[in-house]
Amino acid sequence: MGTRAGGRRTGPKCIAIVGPFASGKTTLLEAILARTGAIPRQNPVSSGNTVSDHSPEARAHAMSVEATFATTEFMGEQITFVDCPGSIEFSFEAEPVLAACDLAVVVAEADEKKIPALQLIMRKLDDLGVPRILFLNKVDKAIAGVRDTLKMLQPASAVPLLLRQIPLRKDGVVIGSIDLALERAYIYREYAESEIAQIPGDDKARELEARFSMLETLADHDDQLMEQLLEEIEPPKDAIFDDLAADLRDGAVTPVLIGTAEKGNGVLRLLKAIRHDAPDIEATRKRLGAPDGSATVVQVMKTIHTPHGGKLSVSRILSGQVVDGSELWLPSGDTAKVSGIYRMLGKDQSKLTTAKAGDTVALGKLDEVKTGQTLTSAKGGTKQLFDAEPPQPVFAFALRPKERKDEVKMSAAIQRLAEEDPSLSLRHNQDSAETVLSGHGEMHLRVVRERLEGKNQIPVEGHAPAVPYRETIRKTAQQRGRHKKQSGGHGQFGDVVIEIKPLPRGSGFQFTDTITGGVVPKTYIQSVETGVRDYLKSGPLGFPVVDVAVNLSDGSYHAVDSSDMAFQMAARLAMKEGMAACSPVLLEPVMKVEIVTPSDATSKIIALIPQRRGQILGYDARPGWPGWDVVEATMPQAEIGDLIIELRSATAGVASYRAAFDHMAELTGRLADEAMNASGKAA
């Protein structure tokens, strides 16, 4: 025992700080940077002056809205910390970051309401295979005991939460911690290094009990330790530390450290655990499946467009080195030249001449490079090491500049924002001629709009996207359409008789002809179909017509005056008059919706579905997700626009949904009138 971990891993490290919204991630980063001397003092989040609050949107909403990189040094080793947003609406931002990190520090607190959010984060770390330490924050405000808190939090983690420290209390107030591996007490001092002390006699029995529990968990992966415990032999401390490091790196346990980031308490012990236990770039390369060899391999974690420095690609150097002016191969087979290498500390950058394996740096002006891509010095490029599809958007609005002259400028700005945030999607709706921006929640798109208006100086207007209503008919009708015009010289003549009848839902449009005797020459039958199709783009109610069959049964022509255009006009006239007699009706799209929610909120979700004209199809436990359910329903698309706001409100911000088109359904009465009025159509 004592050789499983293979000793401390040296070299530059990259550590992600993740956790539920408002758990204290930014505060912890500030405390770390102050303790390591990267900043002169720890700024409270309420000041709006933290390293992570460098964007006006973050300050305005008092929340992280993008990943923030900060490189510092601790005990002679370089560590880059990445403060990742806690809100589910910005969670995709963390995925390419986590993929290239060595370790994640999960910031949590004793709050039962945040367990589902914590579970989402832990599951993502499991999927990516990233080892993690849990920092139990705000321990001074916790009412429950720390071991009871761990029992409450354990369902969020697929691996055991391993308590490494317990609080030291005096008169019911947390004054420090007891390290179970070192068997040593630490008395907290605000914004300063803790004072080492002996474990008080009254706390010795509690410490021994907690320590034995820690060792029992470690013994699950170390037979020699198990024998020592059974024989009541005290294991050597270096062997215990070796087991702690080995099990962390293997993902067998999640060690739990405690503290209060707001006061800088517990931060030094966390830093020392990271320095001693965290895996290095070699382990991260192996986890990602990076190619062996001497080539330089670079993983892009984030894209940033700066006001004056242009585009920056924040990247992890997985192997080799990058110097200013290096040429790197893109996945496309093209090359890009690095123009500037920078170390990041929030919005501040310091220029470097070179970056080596393990470094996390910003590479300048790689214009064709995208977040998540793998770059290499090897000719022809290399396989991509990270590939994550953004989750399906759940919120959208139609966007346009207040001044038409800004249309091109807005399009370019949105393209840059989408480079920075690949979870944004932009599409042009042909039916409504709208530019529709989609994302992962109301706050997500609000921040995008604020960036357009603030950072890019483009005033914009937004509204709910148009619902793609359609119309169809209930009755059959026959109608003649005749177009005749004489104005000297050749005239215009086209005469058709058509039969219009409804089709089953989902059939689309069918055109046939039963012309006999050449009363409408074959040359013009195609013209009739073209005229019919042209009319169907906007029927009597003002919407595209579907599920209709039209048969050309009769007509006449003039040997001189008939033409392609004349028969198109005749067909449109016949359709216009005939459709009005076919009892037109509005159709609305109905979606199949799959909602994922914590089980304790399932009843709320089921109650709100009928309020949105939805029909519940059923619900069941979410496979592989203890404490979560999946609710299936159908719901009109018109009711889904702001559904996510209500879902998140009912579930402390963690529910989500997927929607797919299911069928078209008739819409009549007041709702149909409102739909037509909202679309500017005639009722």
Side-chain angles (χ1 to χ4, degrees):
M1 193 172 72
T3 59
R4 291 179 58 217
R8 184 172 68 82
R9 300 291 189 259
T10 59
K13 293 184 173 64
C14 187
I15 311 296
I17 301 177
V18 297
F21 173 68
S23 57
K25 299 177 297 299
T26 299
T27 302
L28 178 61
L29 177 60
E30 284 289 301
I32 287 170
L33 297 178
R35 185 57 53 86
T36 57
I39 58 176
R41 65 182 179 278
Q42 180 178 339
N43 293 306
V45 171
S46 58
S47 71
N49 194 34
T50 66
V51 168
S52 293
D53 288 335
H54 54 82
S55 75
E57 298 80 30
R59 292 193 295 271
H61 301 295
M63 64 186 293
S64 297
V65 297
E66 60 184 331
T68 301
F69 295 76
T71 300
T72 186
E73 287 193 2
F74 177 67
M75 297 181 70
E77 294 192 12
Q78 180 182 296
I79 307 176
T80 298
F81 290 93
V82 192
D83 180 12
C84 299
S87 168
I88 190 174
E89 299 193 19
F90 302 94
S91 61
F92 187 73
E93 174 96 2
E95 293 201 26
V97 170
L98 288 168
C101 280
D102 303 317
L103 178 81
V105 174
V106 182
V107 184
E109 57 184 306
D111 186 345
E112 192 172 12
K113 293 178 182 177
K114 293 185 178 180
I115 291 177
L118 181 62
Q119 190 175 5
L120 289 174
I121 293 163
M122 292 294 208
R123 177 57 66 98
K124 181 54 63 181
L125 294 172
D126 287 339
D127 292 344
L128 295 171
V130 180
R132 80 292 315 245
I133 291 173
L134 190 143
F135 182 75
L136 187 57
N137 194 22
K138 307 177 187 179
V139 70
D140 59 330
K141 298 176 182 177
I143 297 172
V146 69
R147 281 185 283 181
D148 288 337
T149 298
L150 250 62
K151 288 179 183 177
M152 179 179 72
L153 298 179
Q154 183 61 64
S157 176
V159 299
L161 298 177
L162 181 70
L163 193 61
R164 281 194 58 169
Q165 298 171 317
I166 58 173
L168 183 62
R169 290 184 170 88
K170 184 177 181 180
D171 299 328
V173 177
V174 175
I175 62 167
S177 66
I178 299 173
D179 190 295
L180 300 177
L182 286 170
E183 293 192 285
R184 187 182 294 166
Y186 294 87
I187 309 300
Y188 291 151
R189 295 188 297 173
E190 285 195 18
Y191 311 114
E193 187 173 340
S194 298
E195 179 185 335
I196 300 174
Q198 293 294 318
I199 299 173
D202 293 345
D203 292 292
K204 191 62 182 175
R206 188 166 63 94
E207 182 268 335
L208 288 173
E209 182 184 353
R211 185 171 190 272
F212 186 77
S213 178
M214 178 188 76
L215 295 176
E216 276 190 315
T217 301
L218 293 176
D220 289 340
H221 308 283
D222 188 329
D223 293 340
Q224 189 173 350
L225 176 59
M226 178 66 76
E227 291 177 10
Q228 290 174 331
L229 293 181
L230 291 173
E231 295 173 11
E232 298 184 354
I233 298 172
E234 178 63 26
K237 283 188 173 60
D238 63 344
I240 294 172
F241 279 109
D242 182 76
D243 276 343
L244 285 167
D247 288 352
L248 165 67
R249 294 170 194 171
D250 291 344
V253 299
T254 298
V256 178
L257 303 177
I258 65 173
T260 299
E262 189 177 23
K263 298 176 181 178
N265 295 334
V267 172
L268 186 59
R269 300 310 310 160
L270 173 63
L271 283 167
K272 288 187 175 180
I274 290 170
R275 182 175 183 269
H276 185 275
D277 298 345
D280 60 0
I281 189 62
E282 185 61 34
T284 301
R285 285 183 69 254
K286 187 175 180 181
R287 171 167 55 80
L288 286 171
D292 295 326
S294 58
T296 297
V297 178
V298 174
Q299 185 64 32
V300 182
M301 305 165 79
K302 181 173 172 59
T303 300
I304 301 172
H305 287 275
T306 64
H308 306 295
K311 180 177 175 178
L312 295 176
S313 301
V314 186
S315 307
R316 188 86 193 278
I317 314 301
L318 298 181
S319 63
Q321 68 171 7
V322 175
V323 298
D324 201 354
S326 291
E327 282 204 345
L328 298 173
W329 288 81
L330 280 63
S332 62
D334 296 327
T335 60
K337 181 179 286 189
V338 174
S339 181
I341 305 172
Y342 306 91
R343 180 172 292 163
M344 307 288 290
L345 184 63
K347 70 179 188 303
D348 298 325
Q349 305 150 20
S350 54
K351 193 160 187 177
L352 305 171
T353 57
T354 185
K356 63 182 183 302
D359 286 344
T360 303
V361 293
L363 304 178
K365 299 184 179 178
L366 299 176
D367 293 336
E368 302 303 317
V369 171
K370 298 178 181 178
T371 298
Q373 287 186 333
T374 307
L375 315 178
T376 180
S377 61
K379 187 175 181 180
T382 185
K383 67 175 182 178
Q384 293 304 287
L385 304 180
F386 171 79
D387 184 21
E389 285 292 322
Q392 186 186 70
V394 294
F395 193 76
F397 60 62
L399 199 65
R400 66 183 178 193
K402 289 183 179 179
E403 299 185 27
R404 290 196 64 180
K405 66 181 180 65
D406 287 334
E407 285 182 355
V408 174
K409 187 178 175 183
M410 185 188 79
S411 178
I414 291 177
Q415 184 176 351
R416 289 193 298 272
L417 291 173
E419 275 195 284
E420 295 181 335
D421 181 359
S423 66
L424 284 175
S425 62
L426 188 70
R427 63 181 175 87
H428 183 72
N429 188 324
Q430 296 275 3
D431 287 345
S432 61
E434 293 175 331
T435 298
V436 179
L437 188 67
S438 302
H440 302 296
E442 189 268 340
M443 180 60 73
H444 187 202
L445 295 193
R446 184 190 300 181
V447 167
V448 173
R449 183 169 174 175
E450 289 170 357
R451 285 177 173 166
L452 285 172
E453 297 189 325
K455 183 178 179 180
N456 296 278
Q457 298 293 300
I458 306 171
V460 295
E461 297 174 331
H463 58 85
V467 176
Y469 293 106
R470 296 290 184 262
E471 59 180 276
T472 192
I473 56 174
R474 292 169 168 167
K475 296 180 180 178
T476 298
Q478 181 171 297
Q479 182 66 45
R480 177 180 291 274
R482 174 175 289 193
H483 176 67
K484 183 177 182 181
K485 190 174 182 181
Q486 193 73 38
S487 58
H490 284 309
Q492 296 181 36
F493 182 84
D495 177 34
V496 299
V497 177
I498 58 172
E499 298 163 347
I500 310 169
K501 66 178 181 179
L503 289 175
R505 197 73 66 242
S507 300
F509 168 67
Q510 294 177 9
F511 180 84
T512 55
D513 77 272
T514 52
I515 294 297
T516 57
V519 292
V520 175
K522 288 184 178 181
T523 309
Y524 298 131
I525 291 176
Q526 181 63 48
S527 304
V528 175
E529 181 178 352
T530 299
V532 170
R533 287 183 180 275
D534 186 60
Y535 173 82
L536 293 178
K537 293 176 182 176
S538 181
L541 305 180
F543 296 92
V545 181
V546 296
D547 303 334
V548 167
V550 174
N551 179 63
L552 173 63
S553 60
D554 201 358
S556 62
Y557 75 103
H558 189 279
V560 176
D561 292 344
S562 287
S563 66
D564 169 70
M565 185 56 65
F567 272 96
Q568 286 189 39
M569 292 295 295
R572 284 197 288 267
L573 286 171
M575 288 296 294
K576 183 177 180 180
E577 295 177 15
M579 284 287 291
C582 289
S583 188
V585 62
L586 195 65
L587 296 175
E588 67 172 345
V590 176
M591 314 296 281
K592 174 80 174 293
V593 182
E594 184 179 272
I595 301 169
V596 292
T597 173
S599 301
D600 59 6
T602 300
S603 59
K604 295 179 187 177
I605 303 304
I606 288 174
L608 72 83
I609 289 172
Q611 297 170 16
R612 291 176 174 264
R613 298 191 288 130
Q615 182 177 352
I616 298 165
L617 302 178
Y619 70 95
D620 205 346
R622 188 181 185 187
W625 285 74
W628 286 72
D629 288 336
V630 179
V631 180
E632 292 187 346
T634 55
M635 186 179 294
Q637 185 175 337
E639 302 288 343
I640 290 179
D642 62 351
L643 172 66
I644 193 63
I645 297 175
E646 198 165 0
L647 292 179
R648 298 256 167 89
S649 176
T651 60
V654 296
S656 194
Y657 74 85
R658 294 181 62 86
F661 175 76
D662 192 71
H663 66 278
M664 301 295 287
E666 291 188 8
L667 184 66
T668 58
R670 176 181 59 83
L671 291 175
D673 293 340
E674 290 177 357
M676 288 186 284
N677 290 335
S679 301
K681 311 293 184 182

